Amino acid sequence: MPLLGLGVYKATGEREVERAINCAINAGYRLIDTASAYKNEDGVGRGIRECHCKREELFITTKIWNNAQRLGDVEGPFSRSLERLMTDYVDLYLIHWPVPGCYLSTWKELEKLYKEGKARSIGVSNFEPRHLEELSSISEITPAVNQIEFHPYWYQKKTLDYCQSKGIAVQAYAPLARGAYLDDDVICILATKYGKTPAQIGLRWILQKGVAVIPKSTQEQRIISNGEIFDFELEAEDMDAIDQLNRDFRSASIPDDLKDVAF
């Protein structure tokens, strides 16, 4: 799985996601992250077809939504995702949220998709160690990835440490926290020190934690800038300074149907 990918959450404007994918591919991205709940898998499919990049060179992720878990129907939504994406497999298929009473049975269905080769890898999103522990009690396959909100203002160290101890890759969504930390004094001082943007400092901190990033943007220059994070390294003392910025700040919302569940 590439360490850098393009997130396309809320990219639903006319040709918006197609243009973003074209920009990202031209800038060297090879991972595109979508979900059935984003309502843009069809646009992602068109973008992939139009980008003049071989399918096997791309890494495509999508996810199963909560209502499908509750209905106990995984094969149907997965097949429809493949149709919209215009591909016969995805590189990674995730459980979008750990729906109580559902995610264990959903995982068993994902294991079937993996064994059939329709999903090259399977994983989860928004899972905490307690969810992963319960999952391990019934699973044959360890999740390849746990995609969580992760950034300087929400340094989920406990979850990161757990996943790394179990061989589960961690991928950060909302790695820029919707811009929440880009004016932080510490981040801005480091941006000046390294000759980088605040966004690049935050993304680089995440990478050096061993976490992949999927920043979302539909603006060409931001997509390019977000990818320019492999030509420098933060010093240990600067990593430590960013560690101290944590405030358990959640920038992404919890779905309405899960707001009564403790996360």
Side-chain angles (χ1 to χ4, degrees):
M1 183 178 72
L3 289 173
L4 171 70
L6 178 71
V8 297
Y9 176 61
K10 288 190 175 180
T12 55
E14 185 176 358
R15 299 286 302 170
E16 185 177 32
V17 72
E18 292 92 332
R19 289 193 297 270
I21 289 173
N22 181 65
C23 290
I25 296 299
N26 289 338
Y29 291 63
R30 290 297 180 268
L31 187 157
I32 310 298
D33 178 90
T34 186
S36 59
Y38 299 170
K39 307 298 183 186
N40 60 14
E41 287 176 317
D42 52 349
V44 170
R46 289 191 296 270
I48 292 169
R49 286 295 182 93
E50 296 169 5
C51 74
H52 305 297
C53 193
K54 294 180 181 179
R55 172 66 184 89
E56 58 267 26
E57 296 176 1
L58 300 175
F59 192 100
I60 309 302
T61 300
T62 193
K63 313 173 190 76
I64 186 165
W65 188 240
N66 304 342
N67 57 349
Q69 292 192 62
R70 292 191 177 94
L71 291 172
D73 181 13
V74 174
E75 180 66 36
F78 178 77
S79 296
R80 290 189 287 276
S81 287
L82 291 185
E83 291 173 5
R84 290 189 288 263
L85 292 167
M86 291 183 277
T87 183
D88 57 3
Y89 71 95
V90 293
D91 298 276
L92 178 62
Y93 196 49
L94 303 178
I95 297 178
H96 208 150
W97 286 88
V99 177
C102 300
Y103 65 85
L104 297 182
S105 57
T106 300
W107 182 254
K108 298 306 291 184
E109 293 301 311
L110 262 63
E111 289 184 332
K112 293 178 184 178
L113 295 174
Y114 172 78
K115 292 174 182 177
E116 293 169 356
K118 297 176 181 177
R120 297 289 174 87
S121 52
I122 53 176
V124 297
S125 182
N126 298 297
F127 275 50
E128 298 175 355
R130 60 191 174 95
H131 302 119
L132 293 166
E133 275 291 302
E134 187 174 15
L135 193 65
S136 70
S137 69
I138 59 93
S139 62
E140 296 178 47
I141 301 167
T142 300
V145 176
N146 185 17
Q147 187 184 106
I148 60 174
E149 182 171 349
F150 190 97
H151 48 71
Y153 275 5
W154 198 10
Y155 177 17
Q156 295 202 58
K157 189 176 188 304
K158 180 180 177 182
T159 299
L160 175 61
D161 289 347
Y162 178 89
C163 289
Q164 291 181 335
S165 74
K166 300 295 183 181
I168 301 170
V170 176
Q171 187 179 57
Y173 74 81
L176 301 176
R178 311 293 195 260
Y181 64 81
L182 301 186
D183 292 326
D184 188 283
D185 288 346
V186 170
I187 297 294
C188 290
I189 289 170
L190 292 177
T192 299
K193 174 180 177 178
Y194 289 93
K196 289 290 184 176
T197 67
Q200 290 166 340
I201 295 297
L203 294 173
R204 183 67 205 182
W205 174 82
I206 296 170
L207 283 184
Q208 286 183 219
K209 290 295 182 184
V211 177
V213 294
I214 47 171
K216 181 261 178 172
S217 181
T218 57
Q219 304 300 314
E220 182 176 7
Q221 288 307 310
R222 288 183 182 174
I223 291 171
I224 293 171
S225 179
N226 288 341
E228 295 174 339
I229 53 177
F230 296 97
D231 59 350
F232 74 108
E233 184 172 342
L234 297 171
E235 296 174 3
E237 62 183 17
D238 296 329
M239 290 291 291
D240 291 342
I242 298 174
D243 289 356
Q244 304 309 310
L245 298 180
N246 178 57
R247 55 187 68 177
D248 293 341
F249 171 75
R250 183 191 294 273
S251 69
S253 59
I254 295 174
D256 289 340
D257 63 341
L258 290 178
K259 285 187 175 176
D260 291 334
V261 178
F263 280 103

